Amino acid sequence: MEIFHSFQEVKGCQHAVVALGTFDGVHMGHQKVMQKAIEEADMKGYKSVVVTFSGHPLSVLQPDKEPVRLATMAQKIQYIQDVGIDVLVILPLSWTLLNETPQSFCQQLYKTFLPSAIVVGTNFTYGAGADGNTDTLRAFMELVQVPVYVLPLVSFDKNNMPVSSTIIRQLIQDGKLEETTHLLGRPFSIVGTVVTGDKRGRTIGFPTANMHIEKNMAVPADGVYVSEVKHQGILLPAMTNVGENPTFANQYRRIETYILDWHGDIYGQDMELHFLKRLRGEERFHSVEELVACMKQDEEKVRNYFRQRSR
């Protein structure tokens, strides 16, 4: 997949089919928009392109109100590549871009690609004050005879509740990771560097990898989770605790992962952690012995999860 960071950099994409959106998290609804662009591009014999943004508009407009992110930029790029898109254009968010008129944005889009078609979700907005929407996009593109496909939002329950990044953030915050997997089309994952912790885990039989997470990333509710670690392309069964470890004094919120039946050294390396299922909330124990006994029960539940999944 080719990657560009401005319209001016783009080359070799004339008549491409372009999918537009913020695509935070690249969930099932976003993937549907991209897949439609790929289908149209394949039929027409042109490239499929995603035009997206480097962050949420609030990261510039009101940073203190920016919602937590569902993926790092590296993850977002990988997810889009996994869908099968040919070209990705990531426009850096800035006051200049956010103050651009819908007319100006459409002109640049058309000049850059001379697109054979454009695909968006029904809630797509753009331009200063989000004044641009699917109606203004269609109106402009009709003048230059470019079809615009506006796809309805993907629903996920019997009440036709639409899949959205907002709902996914709430599910993660509530620890509902199985539902999150359904809406994302893959397990929710976090990427971070393994850092040195207090090394207490190894003294009680549960050595853990502690992760440093980028600021403003979504993190599941405190508790114990069935998880997987992706290391050197291999998925390793694991058990993860999110929280402050209240059994011990002077603690802080962290993500600690015990990789089952594995004894390698990954300090200083990046680790990709997949959250699969919440086992329980975080608890305070009266003694280390009580904590260890509960962790052994948690471990057995994790092993049962993977045994059943492999059947």
Side-chain angles (χ1 to χ4, degrees):
M1 182 174 72
E2 295 178 271
I3 301 174
F4 301 103
H5 294 89
S6 70
F7 285 140
Q8 290 72 32
E9 292 178 13
V10 176
K11 294 181 178 62
C13 292
Q14 296 290 289
H15 311 301
V17 178
V18 180
L20 297 172
T22 301
F23 301 134
D24 180 21
V26 194
H27 59 58
M28 293 296 289
H30 300 151
Q31 292 170 41
K32 183 179 178 181
V33 171
M34 296 178 197
Q35 287 161 357
K36 174 65 174 176
I38 292 170
E39 291 171 9
E40 290 294 319
D42 286 346
M43 285 191 296
K44 299 173 186 295
Y46 296 119
K47 291 182 179 180
S48 59
V49 174
V50 163
V51 174
T52 189
F53 309 96
S54 63
H56 193 283
L58 286 176
S59 66
V60 173
L61 297 173
Q62 292 180 286
D64 58 324
K65 294 184 178 180
E66 179 192 1
V68 292
R69 299 172 188 174
L70 298 175
T72 64
M73 182 52 67
Q75 286 178 293
K76 182 175 178 176
I77 290 170
Q78 185 61 58
Y79 297 152
I80 293 172
Q81 181 171 309
D82 289 345
V83 176
I85 290 293
D86 296 315
V87 177
L88 172 61
V89 181
I90 306 169
L91 300 178
L93 272 183
S94 64
W95 282 104
T96 300
L97 178 62
L98 291 172
N99 286 322
E100 190 172 37
T101 65
Q103 179 82 1
S104 175
F105 181 83
C106 287
Q107 287 172 342
Q108 289 192 67
L109 187 68
Y110 179 71
K111 179 181 177 181
T112 300
F113 299 104
L114 298 177
S116 59
I118 293 174
V119 187
V120 293
T122 189
N123 60 348
F124 175 68
T125 60
Y126 63 101
D131 286 343
N133 53 36
T134 55
D135 290 335
T136 60
L137 181 64
R138 268 182 165 152
F140 179 94
M141 293 300 165
E142 281 179 1
L143 297 175
V144 288
Q145 299 182 320
V146 175
V148 176
Y149 298 99
V150 179
L151 304 191
L153 301 181
V154 174
S155 59
F156 68 91
D157 65 7
K158 61 183 179 181
N159 297 317
N160 291 321
M161 183 70 71
V163 177
S164 72
S165 298
T166 299
I167 289 174
I168 292 171
R169 289 187 189 96
Q170 188 62 54
L171 289 172
I172 294 169
Q173 183 178 320
D174 294 342
K176 297 178 179 179
L177 275 301
E178 291 172 297
E179 292 94 328
T180 301
T181 296
H182 178 62
L183 270 58
L184 286 174
R186 63 179 181 276
F188 171 67
S189 66
I190 286 177
V191 174
T193 303
V194 178
V195 297
T196 303
D198 51 28
K199 300 184 179 181
R200 185 183 290 112
R202 66 181 61 183
T203 68
I204 60 175
F206 290 91
T208 59
N210 296 264
M211 296 177 69
H212 171 76
I213 307 301
E214 287 188 22
K215 184 180 178 182
N216 206 36
M217 297 301 300
V219 175
D222 290 357
V224 177
Y225 293 85
V226 180
S227 60
E228 282 180 322
V229 168
K230 189 172 184 179
H231 180 66
Q232 296 181 348
I234 299 172
L235 290 174
L236 305 171
M239 178 172 74
T240 296
N241 183 79
V242 179
E244 298 182 354
N245 207 340
T247 301
F248 302 97
N250 302 318
Q251 299 300 295
Y252 56 91
R253 193 166 191 248
R254 69 189 85 175
I255 298 175
E256 303 172 284
T257 298
Y258 169 59
I259 306 174
L260 276 59
D261 307 319
W262 192 78
H263 305 286
D265 182 0
I266 53 175
Y267 284 120
Q269 299 180 35
D270 285 344
M271 185 172 84
E272 183 176 321
L273 177 63
H274 301 178
F275 288 87
L276 305 179
K277 180 181 179 180
R278 191 179 193 224
L279 294 178
R280 62 176 175 84
E282 188 170 51
E283 300 177 34
R284 180 188 297 274
F285 297 93
H286 296 296
S287 67
V288 174
E289 290 74 21
E290 282 188 19
L291 168 63
V292 172
C294 188
M295 291 179 71
K296 288 181 178 178
Q297 293 175 3
D298 294 334
E299 180 185 355
E300 185 56 32
K301 291 176 183 177
V302 171
R303 292 186 183 277
N304 282 334
Y305 176 94
F306 287 105
R307 278 193 289 263
Q308 292 179 13
R309 195 177 72 167
S310 64
R311 290 176 182 172

